[in-house]
Amino acid sequence: MASIHDVAKEAGVSVATVSKVINHYPDVSEKTRKKVKHAIARLRYRPNVIARGLVTGRSWTVGVLIHVPFTNPYVSMLLEGIKTALEHSGYDLMRLSARLNDPDYSFIDHCQSRNLDGVVVFGVEKDHRSIQELIQSGIPTMFVDTDATGLRAGNITTDNRNGIRMAVRHLFELGHRRIAYLAGVSGQDVNELRLAGYREGLEVFSLPYRADYVADGDYSYDSGIRGMNMLLDLAQPPTAVICTSDMAAFGAIRAVEARGLSVPGDISVVGFDNIFEAELFKPRLTTINQNIHAIGVKSIEALIAMIKHPGDPPPVLTEPSSLIVRESTGKAKDA
């Protein structure tokens, strides 16, 4: 089995230079870096992770806590981005399970016992006890879609408000004046930002905000059915509905069809996420695109930067959103 000394001899460099390349130090020329990598490949050298950790003071492992059902298509796209970013980073990934509702459970102990260098968190609200402990602990952390920050904690999210405003504009330009909103979980950062975008969008076009046109949900298919049925039961139903997720939009469309109505003939529906299934669903879903894969990639890139440069301020990143127009929206019947 090849050693680090064999690699250094093969590449014609010092052992220290090989160590710098393995540990991704920036002060190595690209020419030298390539020589070392070629030597590692030729000799099939595999660094000793334990020894590497003793030298660098790192475990070279980051954790990901996703407190959302893994059946959610958003989760698989986010994880794919995370895996892409980790492929050539030198870091391994550990999926974390957490008993966040157990008062005797410490998520910090969970992370520290595994000697994690950093954590990515998705689906847990910033006011949760465990999240506040994590922020205070100093463990480098990137939150996805949660507006939480700290001395060593940053976050990344989509431009949620502008995404919903674009949806309102699109529907208004199609002649819709009775535009409803199928919301997510009340109190969650993402839901509150999107709801704010909905209200702002209505205000731009001097459309009244109606509390009965906002149906609570939880981003799921079933909540889309429930919310749309509630809206359809109103004395004056909306002609268009913006949903806080694509899955909820799919449910909303099926609820419309179950009433013998059509999308977009009778009611237009807009989703949010642009998951893969949005292109395949019938009718093809008009939706707000958030680059979920890029969010996964950038969350890891930002986390590793925090680990490597502990003195730098943690990043707060916003990924732009865009409107994807497909078949589920059309002109209002009374336009």
Side-chain angles (χ1 to χ4, degrees), residues 63-66 96 98 100 105-112 116-122 124-144 146 148-154 303 306:
V64 58
L65 171 63
I66 297 181
L96 302 172
L100 296 180
Y105 173 82
S106 171
F107 181 60
I108 301 308
D109 290 347
H110 191 71
C111 294
Q112 291 176 339
L116 298 177
D117 290 338
V119 186
V120 173
V121 178
F122 171 63
V124 189
E125 287 310 298
K126 62 184 176 184
D127 294 333
H128 194 285
R129 171 184 57 85
S130 292
I131 297 308
Q132 288 303 309
E133 290 176 355
L134 180 60
I135 292 172
Q136 296 299 321
S137 73
I139 297 173
T141 304
M142 278 297 292
F143 293 97
V144 176
T146 298
T149 55
L151 287 176
R152 304 213 66 197
L303 181 65
M306 276 196 287

Side-chain angles (χ1 to χ4, degrees), residues 62-245:
V62 295
V64 58
L65 171 63
I66 297 181
H67 201 54
V68 173
F70 273 63
T71 52
N72 187 321
Y74 182 104
V75 173
S76 60
M77 296 172 75
L78 180 69
L79 282 174
E80 196 59 40
I82 288 173
K83 286 167 55 183
T84 297
L86 287 172
E87 280 177 1
H88 304 293
S89 70
Y91 282 83
D92 290 321
L93 179 67
M94 179 180 292
R95 178 185 152 195
L96 302 172
S97 57
R99 304 188 304 276
L100 296 180
N101 295 323
D102 182 348
D104 298 322
Y105 173 82
S106 171
F107 181 60
I108 301 308
D109 290 347
H110 191 71
C111 294
Q112 291 176 339
S113 66
R114 286 154 179 78
N115 195 29
L116 298 177
D117 290 338
V119 186
V120 173
V121 178
F122 171 63
V124 189
E125 287 310 298
K126 62 184 176 184
D127 294 333
H128 194 285
R129 171 184 57 85
S130 292
I131 297 308
Q132 288 303 309
E133 290 176 355
L134 180 60
I135 292 172
Q136 296 299 321
S137 73
I139 297 173
T141 304
M142 278 297 292
F143 293 97
V144 176
D145 273 346
T146 298
D147 182 23
T149 55
L151 287 176
R152 304 213 66 197
N155 66 66
I156 181 169
T157 189
T158 295
D159 190 346
N160 290 288
R161 294 169 79 137
N162 191 50
I164 297 293
R165 287 195 297 260
M166 284 188 285
V168 174
R169 174 180 291 276
H170 170 63
L171 294 169
F172 183 85
E173 290 174 348
L174 289 172
H176 295 278
R177 300 297 180 264
R178 302 199 307 274
I179 303 171
Y181 181 64
L182 208 165
V185 178
S186 178
Q188 289 189 350
D189 291 336
V190 169
N191 180 69
E192 298 310 306
L193 287 169
R194 293 179 187 176
L195 183 57
Y198 168 69
R199 299 190 72 149
E200 290 164 4
L202 295 179
E203 187 175 349
V204 167
F205 297 107
S206 300
L207 298 176
Y209 172 81
R210 296 178 48 170
D212 61 343
Y213 271 16
V214 177
D216 289 333
D218 59 11
Y219 312 100
S220 69
Y221 180 89
D222 288 343
S223 76
I225 293 176
R226 291 193 302 270
M228 180 58 85
N229 279 327
M230 188 200 83
L231 294 170
L232 292 174
D233 286 338
L234 295 173
Q236 189 181 44
T239 64
V241 178
I242 300 170
C243 301
T244 194
S245 72

